[in-house]
Amino acid sequence: DTEVTQTPKHLVMGMTNKKSLKCEQHMGHRAMYWYKQKAKKPPELMFVYSYEKLSINESVPSRFSPECPNSSLLNLHLHALQPEDSALYLCASSQASGRSAEQFFGPGTRLTVL
Amino acid sequence: AQSVTQPDIHITVSEGASLELRCNYSYGATPYLFWYVQSPGQGLQLLLKYFSGDTLVQGIKGFEAEFKRSQSSFNLRKPSVHWSDAAEYFCAVGPYSSASKIIFGSGTRLSIRP
């Protein structure tokens, strides 16, 4: 299985809502990533988890809270978002050790904040 | 500073014509180079990657890329494009280690003329 899955595909939320994005992979990868992508822009790295521990946080606002409950799952908890947070949120995974930086991406969750 | 430059924002080629997408990078250490493709509303798919060895790299879907150290370039080529190749293409650079940040170029949108 060489697939990264993300749910939901689309999400509409108000600024006072709390929601979560979910990402799953069964490739045995121990590094997982969250990216944010605005229209017509490249992906921007938000967080990196390595062996279920947060290893990189790109100064992301606290209204985004990542969680890695096990080696296959990665969640992104959302609370009190702003309209400018509307974007495509991409999850990726890769090996966490050795010389292989290739990242496998999921299809993304299209988030709209009203 | 580490950066990736894709000088062409948008390219239109006729179906069956050859294609070359340009990518230049600036990276302090030996880079790990990637080309990803993204169809509208989808995640990113890896086309090919390069770290060492033969400077001409073959990828999926008939794409190839050539690494030129002297020019800090990693241009993507295809001898004959198909309508299904219409998408956004991202060049990226990263360290040769896992669970690390990779830097994306701004992307080149490819349109195919029938």
Side-chain angles (χ1 to χ4, degrees):
Chain A
D1 185 355
T2 58
E3 193 180 37
V4 177
T5 58
Q6 291 188 242
T7 54
K9 285 188 172 27
H10 301 274
L11 179 62
V12 179
M13 60 186 291
M15 290 190 284
T16 58
N17 292 157
K18 285 185 182 180
K19 297 286 184 183
S20 296
L21 309 185
K22 181 178 173 181
C23 173
E24 192 166 6
Q25 57 86 18
H26 295 286
M27 293 180 276
H29 290 163
R30 301 299 296 274
M32 296 185 77
Y33 310 74
W34 279 116
Y35 288 86
K36 173 183 178 180
Q37 187 180 25
K38 301 284 273 186
K40 300 187 189 302
K41 296 290 187 184
E44 298 173 25
L45 183 66
M46 300 174 73
F47 303 103
V48 180
Y49 272 83
S50 180
Y51 295 100
E52 295 87 69
K53 288 190 170 58
L54 184 65
S55 60
I56 297 178
N57 178 341
E58 290 285 295
S59 302
V60 178
S62 59
R63 57 185 184 269
F64 295 91
S65 175
E67 178 197 20
C68 191
N70 62 54
S71 60
S72 300
L73 281 176
L74 184 67
N75 298 321
L76 186 64
H77 303 298
L78 314 173
H79 173 54
L81 293 194
Q82 303 297 309
E84 59 265 28
D85 296 321
S86 298
L88 181 68
Y89 287 84
L90 295 163
C91 174
S93 71
S94 76
Q95 294 181 22
S97 61
R99 294 181 167 184
S100 180
E102 175 184 344
Q103 296 180 20
F104 293 81
F105 283 81
T109 293
R110 175 74 59 188
L111 174 67
T112 302
V113 182
L114 302 177
Chain B
Q2 301 167 355
S3 65
V4 178
T5 301
Q6 293 180 248
D8 303 306
I9 296 173
H10 183 204
I11 285 181
T12 300
V13 300
S14 297
E15 189 167 17
S18 63
L19 170 70
E20 182 169 28
L21 301 183
R22 295 181 292 165
C23 173
N24 292 95
Y25 68 90
S26 172
Y27 201 76
T30 304
Y32 200 166
L33 294 158
F34 309 88
W35 274 100
Y36 282 90
V37 62
Q38 185 177 32
S39 296
Q42 300 296 313
L44 277 70
Q45 182 181 23
L46 183 70
L47 287 175
L48 44 78
K49 60 188 179 187
Y50 174 80
F51 176 72
S52 65
D54 192 345
T55 56
L56 186 62
V57 183
Q58 301 299 318
I60 63 170
K61 305 186 180 191
F63 284 92
E64 65 179 27
E66 186 171 12
F67 172 66
K68 293 186 178 179
R69 185 185 300 276
S70 61
Q71 298 176 21
S72 297
S73 69
F74 189 56
N75 293 349
L76 182 72
R77 301 196 293 248
K78 187 169 184 177
S80 175
V81 298
H82 186 262
W83 63 266
S84 60
D85 292 325
E88 189 84 21
Y89 291 79
F90 293 99
C91 181
V93 64
Y96 198 47
S97 62
S98 308
S100 302
K101 179 176 181 177
I102 61 175
I103 299 165
F104 287 90
S106 54
T108 296
R109 183 161 62 95
L110 175 63
S111 298
I112 306 297
R113 193 184 300 119

